[in-house]
């Protein structure tokens, strides 16, 4: 590579800045140049072209800072962190990038000059749905916060050709459609960097050699299939701070000259078929949230991510350093759940086999650099892979895992001599010959964290107790958050302006400033303004719902919202039972203290999760009966919002009055939807689960609707849980079960909801839905009555926003940095 002197580099930067002015005229000029010259269109053409032209215009303005950020990170000795995640649920980028660049207003005016609407152009961007739900969205929020905090953190993920499926509702059932989010053109935000292509191996065999000269034993991984990992970089701008970090997404491609021998032998079709098999690795995101999958292709995806990313980091390291003695001092890896936990074995392989480092030294480097975040307590989500699959796909990493396990079990035996039971329990390879990815991650990391106080404590007491006993110092908590740039400033512009006018703009980078709102909670004038903003946001949401479902909502009714993945532990069913209860009250004329409600559901079910899909059908059938009953009218409306995704949540959370966070206590690790709602002034009805505990503490119990069993009560009840007992004791529940079991919601579809009914009636129902029913409807009535006193409700709404300051991912990232990564912020400055 040619080396360019510093003066030329600076001249180039100055030139770039000059040609990418942030004013309205420069934006307009560049927009037209892209639209007309590059794409051969004009301002009257389809939104798709307008979106692309404005995105390229915006990307040009990021590019100068992006280059400078790379330069600042690579030309000094500084520690960097790498966030390894199978999912980055980015959503849209145009409006976010305009906001962080500080040119929203200028872009809107430039478009206005051309009689175009910025809002419409932004609305035509497709979501980058490279994730399932909370875990993937968290990774995206983390990236935003790291850039804003000027932390040298890079994200590594996969560039799935097909993201999360699109959900259509047909006759009340979920129908999945492939989401080819890249469209026919390119994703305007990414830059392909083929020069950093890496090669990842699968299959073959591991062989030992003794070097004839040194006598040293080395291991070669031979006859493997080699697949190329091509990086695509996505810019992650900080908020008005000239930092642009990088999210690097790998795309799988067959090696150039792939299987030439087969071509030569005339097996043209076979060779091409193999090529597409290689490219299958990053073809599609697995659409399972909180459940492991066990598919071979999934394991391949995980190893592909880990191997390409670690090779990439090591190659960068070797450009500037000799040897690895200081590697751990300058590099940190954060594993987002167990999905990338093969990084432990892969870093060992690269250091020992490729770099010739001794095992003990390599193990020290590995454990000092790796940190693992656990995201779930659900046993069905704990990843385990059969040894036989490893033998076939990853023979050399398997050998390394065996050796890690052998040494680890020796350590266990030293600490607890003769406790064979414990050794068996803790083995990374379990009694059924499966590799436990969580155990591999814990053994290979110096830090293990949960994602909310309650969750982190439950890890220590339960799931990982044995490991906690050996290494109490590894365990820590990092309560999740969300970025207020996207989830308040961007998605709720009217509230943003009200906040700016009231407490200034500092909250955008320091969310604790929101506490300055507290004195305004009882100010009648401010309450009025707050109410107007909320009402406008409800109108916007109602408009979207009308467009998507045809159902018209009364903006003055309470908007009661549960949107999240459909899963039994999240208990959408409990919410449905409450809806049926309200319907049954209307039918019997029990209208005392009534509050009109619009109950909004949304979320995707994993395509193979039959019960979750049945729950969607039940919601839609109940909605159909309720919405078409003339006795009900405006008193109650029920809708299922189709294709819930990031861009939908950006309209939903500002327009919500009541946020449903009703999982069985001890099952939701944290939740982050709960935080988005709180920030936007919704009140929460919820169980003591995940981050709800901390939300309630922050806002005060008088501003939170709590109900239900606590975690220890759930566990104590489990052995003698008797659903029938709860039905016998509660006439409201009898009425609800009566309607459901009579087939009232499936008149022409007999037996359709039998599985749901059986699951709720089963003494083995893990989610114990009926146990919390009475407490839930009681608390719902308290919430409904509270809503009737609008001034009191608005006060609580203001306080929820005012107390949401700790739920910023800025705070979360500062904690990761202080306790785990220990990076120094780098300021990127282009003033000269
Ligand atoms: C925030 C968010 C989630 C996570 O929601 P939870 O209620 O915490 O499960 C899932 N999906 C999308 C699109 C989100 O924006």
């Amino acid at each position: 590579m040619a080396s360019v002197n510093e003066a030329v580099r600076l001249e180039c930067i100055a030139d770039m800045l000059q040609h990418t002015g942030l004013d309205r005229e420069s934006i307009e000029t560049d927009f037209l140049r892209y639209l007309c010259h590059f794409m051969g269109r004009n301002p009257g053409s389809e939104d798709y072209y307008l979106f692309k032209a404005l995105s390229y215009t915006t990307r040009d303005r990021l590019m100068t800072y992006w280059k400078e950020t790379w330069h600042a990170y690579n030309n000094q000795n500084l520690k960097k962190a790498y966030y390894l995640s199978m999912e980055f649920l980015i959503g849209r980028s145009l409006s976010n990038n305009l906001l962080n660049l500080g040119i929203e207003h200028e872009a809107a005016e430039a478009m206005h000059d051309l009689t175009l609407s910025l809002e419409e152009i932004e609305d035509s961007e497709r979501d980058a749905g490279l994730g399932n739900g909370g875990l993937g969205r968290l990774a995206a929020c983390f990236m935003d916060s790291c850039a804003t905090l000027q932390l040298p953190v890079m994200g590594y993920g996969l560039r799935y050709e097909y993201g999360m499926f699109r959900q259509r509702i047909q006759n009340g059932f979920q129908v999945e459609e492939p989401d080819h989010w890249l469209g026919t053109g390119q994703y305007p935000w990414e830059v392909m960097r083929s020069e950093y292509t890496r090669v990842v191996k699968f299959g073959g065999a591991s062989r030992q050699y003794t070097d004839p000269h040194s006598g040293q034993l080395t291991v070669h991984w031979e006859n493997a299939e080699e697949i190329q990992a091509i990086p695509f970089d996505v810019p992650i701008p900080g908020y008005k701070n000239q930092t642009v970090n990088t999210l690097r997404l790998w795309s799988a491609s067959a090696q150039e000259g792939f299987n030439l021998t087969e071509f030569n032998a005339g097996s043209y079709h076979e060779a091409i078929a193999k090529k597409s098999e290689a490219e299958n690795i990053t073809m599609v995101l697995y659409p399972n949230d909180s459940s492991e999958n066990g598919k071979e292709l999934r394991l391949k995806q995980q190893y592909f991510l880990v191997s390409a990313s670690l090779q990439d980091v090591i190659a960068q390291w070797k450009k500037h350093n000799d040897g690895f003695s200081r590697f751990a001092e300058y590099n940190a890896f954060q594993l987002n759940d167990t999905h990338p936990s093969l990084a432990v074995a892969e870093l060992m392989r690269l250091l020992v086999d490729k770099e010739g480092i001794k095992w003990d030294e390599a193990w020290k480097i590995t454990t000092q650099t790796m940190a693992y975040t656990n995201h779930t307590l659900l046993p069905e989500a704990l990843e385990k892979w059969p040894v036989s699959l490893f033998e076939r796909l990853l023979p050399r990493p398997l050998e390394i895992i065996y050796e890690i396990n052998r040494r680890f079990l020796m350590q266990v035996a030293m600490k607890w001599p003769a406790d064979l039971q414990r050794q068996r329990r803790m083995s990374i390879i379990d009694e059924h010959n499966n590799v436990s990815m969580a155990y591999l991650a814990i053994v290979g990391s110096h830090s293990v964290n949960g994602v909310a106080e309650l969750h982190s404590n439950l890890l220590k007491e339960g799931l990982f107790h044995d490991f906690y006993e050996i290494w109490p110092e590894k365990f820590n908590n990092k309560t999740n958050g969300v970025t207020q740039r996207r989830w308040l400033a961007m998605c709720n512009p009217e509230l943003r302006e009200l906040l700016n006018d009231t407490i200034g703009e500092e909250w955008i980078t320091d969310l604790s400033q929101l506490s300055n709102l507290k004195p305004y909670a009882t100010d009648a004038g401010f309450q009025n303004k707050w109410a107007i903003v909320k009402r406008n946001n409800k109108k916007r949401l109602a408009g979207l719902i009308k467009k998507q479902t045809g159902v018209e909502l009364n903006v003055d009714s309470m908007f009661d919202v549960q949107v999240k993945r459909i899963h039994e532990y999240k208990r959408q069913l409990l919410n449905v039972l409450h809806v049926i209860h309200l319907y049954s009250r209307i039918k019997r004329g029990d209208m005392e203290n009534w509050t009109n409600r619009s109950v909004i559901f949304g979320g995707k079910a994993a395509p193979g999760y039959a019960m979750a899909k049945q729950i969607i059908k039940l919601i839609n059938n109940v909605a159909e009966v309720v919405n078409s009953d003339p006795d009900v009218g405006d008193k109650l409306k029920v809708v299922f919002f189709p294709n819930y995704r990031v861009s939908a949540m950006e309209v939903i959370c500002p327009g919500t009055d009541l946020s449903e966070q009703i999982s069985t206590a001890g099952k939701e690790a944290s939740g982050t939807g709960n935080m988005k709602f709180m920030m936007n002034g919704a009140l929460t009805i919820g169980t003591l689960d995940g981050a709800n505990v901390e939300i309630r503490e922050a806002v005060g119990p008088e501003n939170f609707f709590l109900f239900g069993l606590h975690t220890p009560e759930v566990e104590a009840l489990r052995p003698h849980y008797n659903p029938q007992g709860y039905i016998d004791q509660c006439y409201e529940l009898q009425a609800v079960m009566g309607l459901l079991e009579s087939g009232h919601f499936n008149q022409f579809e007999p037996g359709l909801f039998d599985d749901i009914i059986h699951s709720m009636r089963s003494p083995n129902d893990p989610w114990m839905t009926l146990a919390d029913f009475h407490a839930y409807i009681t608390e719902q009535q308290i919430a409904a009555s509270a809503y009737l006193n609008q001034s009191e409700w608005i006060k609580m709404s203001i306080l929820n926003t005012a107390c949401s300051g700790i739920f910023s991912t800025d705070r979360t990232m500062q904690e990761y940095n202080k306790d785990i990564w220990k990076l120094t912020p780098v300021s990127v400055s282009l003033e000269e």
Side-chain angles (χ1 to χ4, degrees):
M1 199 177 12
S3 83
V4 170
N5 80 37
E6 186 63 6
V8 173
R9 195 186 67 81
L10 289 175
E11 198 180 314
C12 167
I13 292 284
D15 195 60
M16 280 179 83
L17 280 175
Q18 207 189 347
H19 286 95
T20 52
L22 300 178
D23 56 291
R24 161 187 184 168
E25 286 76 22
S26 310
I27 292 172
E28 193 177 321
T29 305
D30 271 8
F31 171 79
L32 286 174
R33 187 170 52 79
Y34 273 117
L35 188 66
C36 306
H37 295 237
F38 188 65
M39 288 182 290
R41 295 283 142 169
N42 58 59
S45 69
E46 293 84 350
D47 282 348
Y48 164 75
Y49 290 108
L50 307 178
F51 158 71
K52 270 183 95 163
L54 188 55
S55 297
Y56 284 130
T57 302
T58 307
R59 200 185 79 176
D60 282 356
R61 280 148 182 79
L62 291 172
M63 197 58 90
T64 323
Y65 305 134
W66 201 3
K67 271 159 48 90
E68 267 312 280
T69 305
W70 265 112
H71 183 76
Y73 289 175
N74 288 319
N75 283 274
Q76 32 184 312
N77 261 347
L78 51 95
K79 187 172 185 185
K80 284 176 253 176
Y82 303 95
Y83 197 76
L84 269 52
S85 178
M86 290 286 283
E87 305 186 11
F88 287 90
L89 189 46
I90 301 168
R92 292 174 178 163
S93 292
L94 176 56
S95 36
N96 194 251
N97 291 346
L98 292 174
L99 175 80
N100 282 12
L101 270 171
I103 57 170
E104 254 188 330
H105 189 65
E106 289 75 5
E109 293 203 312
M111 295 305 101
H112 186 78
D113 289 344
L114 301 167
T115 67
L116 298 172
S117 148
L118 174 60
E119 214 171 310
E120 279 172 30
I121 294 173
E122 287 172 341
D123 215 36
S124 69
E125 180 171 6
R126 299 177 70 155
D127 281 40
L130 308 183
N132 274 282
L135 172 146
R137 184 53 232 173
L138 184 76
C141 283
F142 279 6
M143 296 306 292
D144 178 86
S145 282
C146 288
T148 295
L149 293 168
Q150 306 194 304
L151 293 173
V153 174
M154 183 161 163
Y156 276 113
L158 296 180
R159 181 181 181 268
Y160 303 106
E161 199 89 12
Y162 292 85
M164 190 61 205
F165 65 82
R166 219 168 325 118
Q167 177 194 58
R168 239 174 3 96
I169 301 298
Q170 195 168 57
N171 183 31
F173 290 101
Q174 165 175 299
V175 177
E176 301 101 23
E177 287 173 350
D179 167 46
H180 197 256
W181 67 288
L182 292 161
T184 42
Q186 311 102 312
Y187 179 50
W189 303 108
E190 70 186 7
V191 179
M192 181 162 98
R193 295 288 186 206
S194 357
E195 68 273 28
Y196 301 124
T197 296
R198 312 290 169 198
V199 173
V200 179
K201 294 185 178 197
F202 292 98
S206 165
R207 292 234 160 63
Q208 298 197 349
Y209 289 92
T210 311
D211 188 297
H213 304 293
S214 64
Q216 178 114 19
L217 195 73
T218 57
V219 181
H220 291 197
W221 183 354
E222 296 179 344
N223 300 321
E225 181 188 1
E226 300 197 330
I227 294 174
Q228 287 191 333
I230 300 172
F232 288 74
D233 288 356
V234 179
I236 309 286
Y239 184 74
K240 296 185 183 172
N241 66 359
Q242 309 197 340
T243 292
V244 178
N245 280 348
T246 300
L247 170 59
R248 180 161 285 183
L249 302 176
W250 299 104
S251 180
S253 168
Q255 284 270 41
E256 235 176 298
F258 188 78
N259 266 327
L260 250 171
T261 47
E262 275 185 63
F263 276 106
N264 295 340
S267 312
Y268 179 77
H269 281 103
E270 288 74 5
I272 297 292
K274 274 205 178 160
K275 177 174 155 66
S276 71
E277 200 181 299
E279 289 169 2
N280 262 344
I281 292 181
T282 51
M283 192 56 72
V284 55
L285 166 78
Y286 277 96
N288 305 297
D289 186 67
S290 301
S291 71
E292 62 114 26
N293 189 269
K295 293 285 199 308
E296 172 171 333
L297 187 57
R298 171 76 176 179
L299 180 62
K300 278 184 147 183
Q301 290 184 337
Q302 296 184 347
Y303 183 67
F304 185 76
L305 165 67
V306 150
S307 181
S309 307
L310 290 176
Q311 289 183 56
D312 203 46
V313 172
I314 287 176
Q316 298 281 352
W317 173 258
K318 286 169 74 172
K319 264 196 217 166
H320 303 279
N321 298 275
D322 286 326
F324 286 79
S325 59
R326 311 192 70 179
F327 185 81
E329 229 176 287
Y330 287 100
N331 296 281
F333 299 98
Q334 192 69 42
L335 309 178
N336 196 21
D337 213 325
T338 54
H339 316 151
S341 58
L342 271 172
V344 170
E346 180 65 1
L347 185 56
M348 285 301 288
R349 185 184 76 83
L350 293 170
L351 293 176
V352 173
D353 293 359
K354 296 277 166 202
E355 304 299 336
I357 294 169
K358 294 261 183 340
W359 182 280
D360 288 330
E361 173 68 14
W363 184 244
K364 216 164 121 187
I365 292 171
T366 300
T367 52
Q368 282 174 0
T369 50
M370 295 288 162
Y372 157 56
T373 304
N374 173 278
H375 283 272
T376 175
L377 293 156
L378 299 181
E380 62 268 35
L382 289 181
E383 292 190 294
K384 294 197 166 191
W385 296 104
V387 162
S388 55
L389 188 57
F390 263 90
E391 281 169 345
R392 193 151 50 76
L393 287 183
L394 304 169
R396 181 55 186 156
L398 178 63
E399 285 178 350
I400 289 172
I401 291 169
Y402 279 142
E403 181 61 14
I404 291 170
N405 196 36
R406 189 184 68 79
R407 290 169 180 245
F408 166 61
L409 288 181
M410 250 165 37
Q411 215 179 325
V412 175
M414 294 298 203
K415 190 161 166 92
W416 292 283
D419 191 348
L420 295 180
Q421 201 67 36
R422 190 185 288 262
Q423 288 180 44
R424 207 163 301 141
R425 277 205 311 268
M426 297 183 77
S427 176
I428 297 172
I429 316 283
D430 72 11
E431 64 271 34
H432 306 295
N433 243 350
N434 290 314
V435 182
S436 160
M437 303 310 274
Y439 293 0
L440 177 63
I442 297 172
V443 172
S445 300
H446 66 282
S447 165
V448 177
N449 75 281
V451 289
E453 292 283 356
L454 173 70
H455 168 63
S456 296
N457 288 331
L458 292 173
L459 287 179
K460 293 196 279 193
E461 290 161 16
L463 201 56
F464 298 151
H465 184 70
D466 287 330
F467 294 88
Y468 176 63
E469 286 195 313
I470 320 188
W471 297 306
E473 71 285 356
K474 283 192 186 184
F475 287 77
N476 65 93
N477 172 250
K478 296 286 169 282
T479 299
N480 282 167
V482 301
T483 167
Q484 71 267 31
R485 265 80 59 191
R486 180 177 293 263
W487 295 113
L488 187 47
M490 188 190 105
C491 74
N492 200 340
E494 286 193 36
L495 190 56
R496 173 184 73 204
E497 294 312 315
L498 179 57
L499 292 173
N500 289 351
D501 291 346
T502 312
I503 58 168
E505 295 185 16
E506 260 180 81
W507 61 272
I508 300 177
T509 50
D510 174 9
L511 202 63
S512 69
Q513 296 291 326
L514 286 181
S515 66
N516 293 330
L517 268 184
K518 284 182 198 170
Y520 295 89
T522 49
D523 175 325
F526 186 76
Q527 284 190 353
N528 244 342
K529 293 182 191 165
W530 191 272
I532 291 169
V533 171
K534 180 57 83 177
R535 199 165 192 283
N536 287 340
N537 286 329
K538 288 171 75 173
K539 264 194 212 157
R540 177 164 67 129
L541 174 55
L544 183 63
I545 288 173
K546 175 86 195 336
K547 206 170 98 189
Q548 304 249 310
T549 68
V551 178
E552 209 145 346
L553 301 184
N554 176 357
V555 182
D556 293 313
S557 66
M558 176 204 261
F559 280 19
D560 170 352
V561 180
Q562 187 174 24
V563 290
K564 47 182 77 245
R565 289 302 291 258
I566 309 293
H567 203 295
E568 287 165 284
Y569 87 82
K570 291 178 181 279
R571 295 202 298 195
Q572 280 90 359
L573 270 180
L574 184 57
N575 193 348
V576 176
L577 295 185
H578 175 245
V579 169
I580 297 173
H581 164 66
L582 291 178
Y583 168 74
S584 143
R585 275 183 64 189
I586 296 170
K587 295 306 277 187
R588 62 175 183 261
D590 171 12
M591 300 301 292
E592 214 180 310
N593 269 317
W594 186 266
T595 300
N596 291 347
R597 278 198 206 231
S598 301
V599 184
I600 299 157
F601 291 87
K604 293 172 184 174
Y609 189 172
M611 187 64 83
K613 293 176 118 173
Q614 219 176 95
I615 292 169
I616 291 176
K617 174 62 174 165
L618 176 61
I619 294 167
N620 280 300
N621 278 21
V622 170
E624 178 69 31
V625 169
V626 168
N627 297 345
S628 58
D629 188 328
D631 292 348
V632 176
D634 257 6
K635 299 183 188 76
L636 180 63
K637 283 274 179 292
V638 184
V639 290
F640 188 89
F641 187 110
N643 199 31
Y644 175 58
R645 62 198 185 283
V646 171
S647 59
M649 186 55 160
E650 288 165 8
V651 182
I652 293 169
C653 68
T656 295
D657 293 310
L658 186 66
S659 150
E660 300 273 349
Q661 307 299 337
I662 59 178
S663 51
T664 311
K667 296 299 172 189
E668 185 76 87
S670 162
T672 50
N674 47 5
M675 300 168 184
K676 299 167 200 164
F677 285 117
M678 181 197 197
M679 224 172 255
N680 285 276
L683 276 71
T684 305
I685 184 165
T687 49
L688 268 191
D689 200 14
N692 295 354
V693 178
E694 290 152 82
I695 287 178
R696 179 166 170 269
E697 241 165 50
V699 73
E702 69 282 10
N703 302 307
F704 185 104
F705 300 106
L706 177 72
F707 75 95
L709 298 175
H710 301 187
T711 308
E713 295 168 344
V714 167
E715 293 318 315
L717 176 61
R718 208 175 279 290
H720 23 254
Y721 175 51
N722 173 22
Q724 187 61 47
Y726 292 93
I727 299 172
D728 294 342
Q729 283 164 31
C730 177
Y731 76 90
E732 290 95 339
L733 184 51
Q734 285 159 32
V736 168
M737 294 306 284
L739 278 168
L740 200 50
E741 291 174 341
S742 72
H744 188 68
F745 303 106
N746 51 319
Q747 305 263 359
F748 304 103
E749 300 162 303
L752 188 61
F753 301 125
D754 286 1
D755 290 349
I756 288 180
I757 293 163
H758 286 146
S759 78
M760 287 193 294
R761 282 185 161 280
S762 164
N764 300 316
D765 172 19
W767 325 112
M768 295 194 270
T769 304
L770 300 193
D772 278 341
F773 176 81
H774 190 77
Y776 181 53
I777 64 165
T778 305
E779 198 60 27
Q780 281 283 20
Q781 182 55 50
I782 292 172
S785 304
Y787 192 77
L788 293 176
N789 182 347
Q790 271 295 300
S791 163
E792 201 41 40
W793 183 275
I794 293 163
K795 180 189 105 190
M796 294 194 284
S797 166
I798 296 167
L799 286 174
N800 266 272
T801 301
C803 298
S804 67
I806 55 171
F807 300 109
S808 166
T809 36
D810 297 349
R811 188 268 313 148
T812 313
M813 290 295 85
Q814 271 159 340
E815 289 179 5
Y816 274 85
N817 191 43
K818 179 171 142 295
D819 299 341
I820 308 173
W821 305 337
K822 304 176 200 298
L823 313 173
T824 310
V826 179
S827 73
V828 178
S829 164
L830 288 172
E831 297 314 330
E832 74 269 33

